[in-house]
Amino acid sequence: MNEETYIRFENYLANELSSEEKTLFEEQLQNDAQFNESFTLYKETTQFLEHKFSNETIDFKENLKSISNQYFETLSSSEVQEKGKVITFKPWYYAVAASVVVVLGMWFMMQNDPNYSDYNQHDTALFMERSVGDANLKEAQEAFNTKDYKKAVAAFDKITDFRDPELQLFYAISLIETNNYPKAQLFLDQLREGNSVYKHKATWYLALSYLKQDKKEECKSTLKEIPTDAEDFEKAQELLNDLD
């Protein structure tokens, strides 16, 4: 597809074609399968980008428009006139935008799936403030807060009393980070069945565990269990939207 074709796509979507041009365009859509396929891809890609990156898309088009205006202002009068008649220039920046949008749009659709690393910003572990003198707890806390999750798991493994829901949660997070999902789920399920302040947080982390395992359907169904008054509700809704 050349730049003129992308300009036609943009003008059709913007309802800027004359009645005759619109009729010819729609006839070509019906009779030319390749043209129809290219137009459909262009329309769906631009809609995707405008929905997903609306501000960025607007800024991008405005920047192209500015560059276009600067370019045409530098043309001499002989370059914009022919046989005494002023030539009307189509906004070529739409053609450039269309080409870039199609390429970037396909890349974004392939690359922009949410992943665990987008959401694994954990709270700071502070359980030692209530358990002074326990060397294993101290080691687990320091390792967790420095993101040395393998060392944190090793320290947690030495602890025998996990009645504290906070310990269960941070142990489960460390297990998720080290890919020990079944054991992490055992602790998270205990929290989910209880009535501690970490009940809904455990549901959030169970969903993240599924996300890290690329179990998207399980992740979505778990996210839907998080109530509106939960701390992580907004993040859960954001992730749900990204997964749809």
Side-chain angles (χ1 to χ4, degrees):
M1 290 291 157
N2 55 33
E3 293 181 352
E4 182 180 358
T5 301
Y6 286 127
I7 292 175
R8 292 180 68 201
F9 289 172
E10 184 65 31
N11 287 344
Y12 179 81
L13 292 173
N15 199 27
E16 294 178 353
L17 296 179
S18 67
S19 297
E20 183 180 355
E21 289 173 331
K22 184 176 181 181
T23 299
L24 291 172
F25 185 95
E26 291 174 346
E27 288 178 354
Q28 188 171 359
L29 282 178
Q30 292 179 356
N31 301 323
D32 187 335
Q34 184 178 1
F35 182 83
N36 188 304
E37 182 180 354
S38 297
F39 173 71
T40 301
L41 174 62
Y42 175 81
K43 181 175 66 173
E44 291 177 352
T45 302
T46 53
Q47 287 174 344
F48 171 83
L49 289 178
E50 287 173 356
H51 172 71
K52 198 75 174 174
F53 309 98
S54 56
N55 292 334
E56 291 83 352
T57 303
I58 293 170
D59 291 341
F60 178 66
K61 287 186 176 181
E62 287 300 315
N63 286 337
L64 285 173
K65 183 176 180 180
S66 176
I67 293 169
S68 173
N69 291 338
Q70 291 173 20
Y71 173 79
F72 285 118
E73 286 173 0
T74 64
L75 293 177
S76 65
S77 59
S78 62
E79 291 175 300
V80 297
Q81 294 185 5
E82 182 178 340
K83 296 181 180 180
K85 184 165 111 177
V86 175
I87 300 172
T88 302
F89 283 95
K90 290 287 186 181
W92 64 268
Y93 54 86
Y94 280 130
V96 179
S99 302
V100 175
V101 161
V102 169
V103 175
L104 289 182
M106 294 303 295
W107 185 86
F108 275 124
M109 283 188 279
M110 291 186 294
Q111 299 293 328
N112 200 55
D113 285 343
N115 58 70
Y116 177 75
S117 62
D118 297 329
Y119 294 93
N120 68 335
Q121 293 78 42
H122 313 305
D123 293 336
T124 301
L126 298 172
F127 42 77
M128 270 302 295
E129 293 182 357
R130 299 185 299 278
S131 304
V132 178
D134 190 316
N136 293 326
L137 280 177
K138 181 179 180 181
E139 183 180 1
Q141 177 175 292
E142 290 177 351
F144 184 93
N145 290 338
T146 57
K147 302 185 186 302
D148 188 346
Y149 299 110
K150 185 176 181 180
K151 185 177 180 180
V153 168
F156 277 121
D157 284 342
K158 299 174 186 176
I159 299 170
T160 57
D161 185 358
F162 277 98
R163 287 175 295 177
D164 186 342
E166 186 178 22
L167 291 183
Q168 294 177 32
L169 178 66
F170 281 95
Y171 190 14
I173 296 172
S174 300
L175 291 166
I176 293 171
E177 289 285 354
T178 54
N179 303 326
N180 192 340
Y181 308 115
K183 191 171 183 179
Q185 186 166 348
L186 289 175
F187 284 99
L188 294 175
D189 284 344
Q190 290 181 36
L191 289 169
R192 279 156 50 81
E193 293 169 3
N195 295 307
S196 74
V197 294
Y198 301 106
K199 177 182 179 71
H200 303 313
K201 179 72 73 173
T203 302
W204 167 247
Y205 272 104
L206 180 59
L208 291 186
S209 177
Y210 287 135
L211 179 64
K212 193 178 181 187
Q213 298 172 70
D214 201 30
K215 296 181 177 180
K216 294 182 180 179
E217 292 306 314
E218 291 89 338
C219 178
K220 289 196 289 186
S221 63
T222 304
L223 289 169
K224 292 175 182 178
E225 297 178 22
I226 298 176
T228 56
D229 59 345
E231 177 186 353
D232 299 300
F233 175 75
E234 290 187 5
K235 289 190 293 184
Q237 294 305 301
E238 174 189 321
L239 179 50
L240 269 173
N241 290 334
D242 289 343
L243 288 169
D244 288 334

